[in-house]
Amino acid sequence: MGKRYFCDYCDRSFQDNLHNRKKHLNGVQHLRAKRLWYDLFRDAAAILQEEQTKKPCRKFLQTGQCDFGSNCRFSHMTEQDLEKLSAQVQGEKRLKELQREGADIPPGTIEDWLDKRAQRLSAAQSNSALPEKPVPFQYPPGWPPVQELPPSLQAPPPGGWPVPPNLQWG
């Protein structure tokens, strides 16, 4: 069958030879998937700058969907999304300025993270229709069936094993 090449960006494989690999790596589908992957790691300032230069997508604003998806040349961000993004950029700038000034910024502790997580979970539970306390799993009566263990694997009796008279200290 021969070697196969697996493309992580496209999540597909094909027979590995020079022609097929070159055709795939220059293909539109691969280039789009690769761009989407790298877009996940862009910083907020670059995203904000790019989105502010784009005009809003009329189709997306009217219907909430766009036929072009992530390939659309217009912006799919609402005003609220842009405000959140600009607030994030401002927060990152302030943090960088404080670090440059040498301000002592305490790192977040695990306790802070656990507190925030507990608050999120409690908020999620209060919003859901599930009962607050899950019922623990219980076996039905008589299950699992009790098996007799060989004497070597049995637990000792409450007073301990009897010691034969020939092994007692005298």
Side-chain angles (χ1 to χ4, degrees):
M1 183 164 154
K3 291 183 179 180
R4 296 193 63 78
Y5 179 82
F6 181 79
C7 178
D8 289 320
Y9 299 115
C10 302
D11 195 28
R12 64 181 296 239
S13 65
F14 50 87
Q15 187 177 4
D16 189 18
N17 60 40
L18 182 62
H19 173 74
N20 289 347
R21 190 184 290 204
K22 191 173 185 179
K23 185 177 177 182
H24 174 76
L25 294 178
N26 291 326
V28 173
Q29 181 182 7
H30 174 77
L31 294 174
R32 284 181 184 165
K34 185 177 175 183
R35 184 178 46 137
L36 286 174
W37 172 255
Y38 281 103
D39 284 350
L40 293 173
F41 303 103
R42 289 193 311 167
D43 64 332
I47 295 171
L48 180 65
Q49 183 179 5
E50 181 181 325
E51 290 295 325
Q52 285 177 335
T53 60
K54 293 179 180 179
K55 293 180 182 178
C57 178
R58 281 189 277 161
K59 175 98 174 178
F60 188 79
L61 289 176
Q62 290 172 353
T63 64
Q65 293 181 342
C66 177
D67 296 336
F68 296 101
S70 60
N71 297 319
C72 185
R73 65 181 192 180
F74 298 105
S75 176
H76 290 174
M77 288 193 147
T78 62
E79 290 295 323
Q80 293 84 8
D81 293 338
L82 289 173
E83 288 172 6
K84 287 179 187 176
L85 195 57
S86 64
Q88 181 182 350
V89 169
Q90 293 300 322
E92 289 174 1
K93 283 182 182 177
R94 275 188 249 121
L95 185 63
K96 285 180 184 178
E97 289 172 4
L98 288 174
Q99 287 175 345
R100 271 191 235 127
E101 293 171 2
D104 192 21
I105 302 170
T109 62
I110 189 71
E111 288 80 15
D112 297 337
W113 182 83
L114 287 171
D115 290 339
K116 288 179 184 177
R117 181 174 179 260
Q119 290 172 357
R120 280 197 317 266
L121 289 175
S122 65
Q125 284 180 349
S126 65
N127 291 338
S128 68
L130 297 175
E132 288 200 22
K133 202 172 194 181
V135 178
F137 175 78
Q138 294 180 345
Y139 284 110
W143 187 264
V146 179
Q147 297 176 354
E148 284 297 319
L149 295 174
S152 62
L153 296 177
Q154 289 179 356
W161 295 109
V163 180
N166 60 350
L167 294 178
Q168 290 181 354
W169 290 94

